Amino acid sequence: MSSAHVPGAPVPVVPLARSGPSGRSRFRARLAGRAPAPPSPGAALHNISAATAVLLVLVAIGSVIHEPVLIPPLAASAAIIHGAPGLPLAQPRSVIVGHLLCAAVGYAVVAASGSSPWAAALAAGISLAVMTMARTPHSPACATAVVIVLNTPRPATFVPLLVGSAGLLVLAGWAASYARPRTPRYPAYWW
C-alpha cells in the first residue's frame, strides 16, 4: 500500500505527542495571558492621584463655564496617559490632534444630520477612520465626537476648552512622569 495521498480522500489526523504541561495547565496558562505585572502600590497611588488631580481641575473649569460634558472623553484620556504612557495613543500628537479631529467630525455630523443616537454612532465611526488616516490614534477622542453630537455644545466655548484640557492632560502626564523616579518618561515623543 502506498503512503501517497489520493486527491479527494480524507487526510488522516495523527495526534501530536504532548510535551510539557498537561492540558489543564495549558488552559490556565492561556487564561492568565500575558498581562503586565501589577504596578507597585506607590506607582498605582501616583497614577491615581495625578489623574484625579487633573480631572478635578478640569471639572472646576467646566463648571465655571458651564461645559461639564468633556469629562467622559478626558477621563479616558487621562487613564491612558497615566496608565500606559508609552502607547502611541497616549502621545501628545494623538491626544491633542485626535480630540480636535473628532470635534470637527462631531460638528460636521451635527450639521449634516442633526443630533441623534444614530448620528452619534456615525460620528464615532467616522472619527476612528479620520484618526487612523491622520496617524493620530486616540480612542477616547471618539467619545468627544459622540458628546458633541448628543449635546451640541457651542463651538466657541467647547473647542478652546477641549484644546486647553487636552494640553493640560499632556502637561500633567509629563510632570507626573518626572515627579516619580524610575518611571517611564512621558511622552515617548511629542509629535
Side-chain angles (χ1 to χ4, degrees), residues 3-176:
S3 63
H5 175 70
V6 177
V11 177
V13 177
V14 179
L16 298 174
R18 285 194 176 178
S19 62
S22 70
R24 178 178 249 171
S25 296
R26 283 189 298 175
F27 179 72
R28 276 194 220 134
R30 283 193 172 256
L31 282 179
R34 293 186 176 110
S40 68
L45 180 63
H46 180 262
N47 287 343
I48 291 167
S49 60
T52 303
V54 73
L55 288 171
L56 288 172
V57 168
L58 294 177
V59 167
I61 294 168
S63 295
V64 168
I65 63 172
H66 306 292
E67 285 291 349
V69 296
L70 262 176
I71 294 307
L74 292 177
S77 294
I80 289 172
I81 290 169
H82 292 280
L87 291 179
L89 63 145
Q91 303 313 308
R93 169 191 168 106
S94 293
V95 174
I96 296 169
V97 176
H99 278 292
L100 276 173
L101 288 173
C102 292
V105 168
Y107 284 115
V109 168
V110 165
S113 62
S115 176
S116 73
W118 299 102
L122 179 66
I126 293 171
S127 292
L128 186 57
V130 168
M131 285 188 296
T132 300
M133 295 300 295
R135 296 180 20 236
T136 57
H138 189 65
S139 49
C142 289
T144 297
V146 170
V147 162
I148 288 170
V149 171
L150 293 178
N151 295 302
T152 61
R154 292 179 324 144
T157 56
F158 189 83
V159 173
L161 177 62
L162 176 66
V163 172
S165 298
L168 183 61
L169 286 177
V170 166
L171 291 175
W174 173 76

